[in-house]
Amino acid sequence: MARRTTRPPRPSVTDRSACPCGLPAAYGACCGRFHTGRSAAPTAELLMRSRYSAFVVRDEGYLLRTWHPDYRPGGVDFDPAMRWTGLEIRDTSEGSMFHSTGTVTFVARYTLGGEPGQLHERSHFERHDGAWVYVNGTFMD
């Protein structure tokens, strides 16, 4: 008999839920519109926020589509014990509609097995075929 792999259950975020990215909008009108492909993130910061939300809702397809093809992994390994609990944007540099590169420094908070933690990163973004994509990140202390 074939072995079945199970994916962790997606958190219950609906179009009317508060968006996980922290902006004062419903998920469907905020990051959800990027996840479905109805819109593309117009800035590096909005792409960063939508990628954070994609981790919250475990949207592997969106994460891979918005990863620069030169650096894109084969898949995203979601830890079923991890729950993302908040995003704080600390700084942005460039990354507007008028730039070709940008950086976003952020702190993403989570719990892992009930223990709190945080990821502090400076993410690098580029425009690729006209759309913002994630290139890589540098962990901060």
Side-chain angles (χ1 to χ4, degrees):
M1 179 171 9
R3 197 175 123 180
R4 178 185 272 183
T5 58
T6 59
R7 303 193 88 160
R10 289 181 167 215
S12 56
V13 175
T14 69
D15 280 352
R16 294 184 178 168
S17 300
C19 194
C21 81
L23 291 177
Y27 169 74
C30 195
C31 294
R33 66 192 164 121
F34 304 137
H35 294 172
T36 63
R38 290 190 315 257
S39 298
T43 66
E45 180 181 337
L46 286 175
L47 181 65
M48 173 61 236
R49 287 179 179 278
S50 69
R51 285 177 57 82
Y52 169 82
S53 292
F55 274 101
V56 171
V57 301
R58 299 186 179 119
D59 187 342
E60 179 181 38
Y62 181 76
L63 290 166
L64 294 175
R65 283 191 311 276
T66 58
W67 218 307
H68 193 289
D70 292 345
Y71 306 99
R72 181 183 301 138
V76 179
D77 186 22
F78 297 106
D79 187 330
M82 181 174 272
R83 299 287 178 261
W84 295 99
T85 60
L87 176 67
E88 176 188 347
I89 301 296
R90 294 268 176 99
D91 188 40
T92 62
S93 175
E94 297 184 332
S96 78
M97 293 182 283
F98 306 106
H99 296 108
S100 59
T101 62
T103 61
V104 179
T105 304
F106 68 92
V107 173
R109 291 182 175 74
Y110 61 85
T111 60
L112 180 58
E115 295 295 319
Q118 67 178 27
L119 170 67
H120 187 187
E121 180 179 306
R122 179 177 296 121
S123 292
H124 305 277
F125 298 89
E126 289 181 8
R127 283 199 185 267
H128 180 76
D129 293 336
W132 284 107
V133 292
Y134 173 77
V135 176
N136 59 30
T138 305
F139 294 115
M140 311 293 289
D141 290 330

